[in-house]
Amino acid sequence: MASIRQVQVTFDCAEPERVARFWCEVLGYVIPPPAGFAAWDAFERSLPPERQGAGFVCVDPSGAGPRLYFQRVPEGKAVKNRVHLDVRVGTGLVGEERLAALEAECARLLALGATRVCLLVADEYDESCLAMQDIEGNEFCLD
């Protein structure tokens, strides 16, 4: 059996570059130039007009996190994501300290265009987390 060494997370979206730049800000990711090109602009100009703006990539500069790929699709988002990202800002924190960390990150992301959905309050099994949406309505959690 082959072992998996890398995972890419793919987002369907209307505006790949805009959504990719949002996630770069959220995660501290960077935009690498496509192979064989000095920058994305040069790569885009090399494509036929109908393919320009159809995809965009961002990566973790440390190489630890997955590559994120954003692909343009014609349909809008209609239902809840079956898979979502958990942005781990409260790891190891509990109670009020955890809530303060979640709220601080929520405020930063709201300024980037994210939407707050709801606070999921701690229970006997899980700590609190904040459900949010990115700039195109894709769900994610501050965990």
Side-chain angles (χ1 to χ4, degrees), residues 118-130:
C118 67
L119 174 65
L120 303 168
V121 181
D123 60 23
E124 61 184 288
Y125 304 106
D126 298 306
E127 278 296 329
S128 297
C129 69
L130 259 169

Side-chain angles (χ1 to χ4, degrees), residues 8-139:
Q8 171 176 285
V9 178
T10 301
F11 289 72
D12 289 350
C13 52
E15 298 179 66
E17 182 176 354
R18 180 173 174 252
V19 180
R21 291 189 184 282
F22 169 84
W23 282 102
C24 282
E25 290 294 324
V26 172
L27 301 174
Y29 273 37
V30 297
I31 299 166
F37 293 89
W40 270 93
D41 290 345
F43 170 72
E44 287 290 325
R45 286 191 302 272
S46 76
L47 298 173
E50 67 276 6
R51 292 296 308 151
Q52 292 177 5
F56 215 79
V57 171
C58 62
V59 298
D60 179 352
S62 74
R67 178 181 194 255
L68 302 181
Y69 179 69
F70 303 85
Q71 64 185 4
R72 185 175 59 214
V73 296
E75 68 278 356
K77 184 176 176 315
V79 298
K80 185 178 185 306
N81 299 6
R82 293 290 306 259
V83 174
H84 68 267
L85 300 182
D86 285 343
V87 180
R88 310 290 314 271
V89 298
T91 303
L93 303 176
V94 296
E96 293 301 317
E97 187 179 18
R98 181 180 178 89
L99 287 173
L102 297 176
E103 292 293 350
E105 185 64 3
C106 178
R108 184 180 82 85
L109 300 183
L110 290 172
L112 297 174
T115 302
R116 180 187 179 120
V117 176
C118 67
L119 174 65
L120 303 168
V121 181
D123 60 23
E124 61 184 288
Y125 304 106
D126 298 306
E127 278 296 329
S128 297
C129 69
L130 259 169
M132 299 191 70
Q133 293 177 336
D134 73 11
I135 56 176
E136 285 200 3
N138 297 302
E139 294 90 5

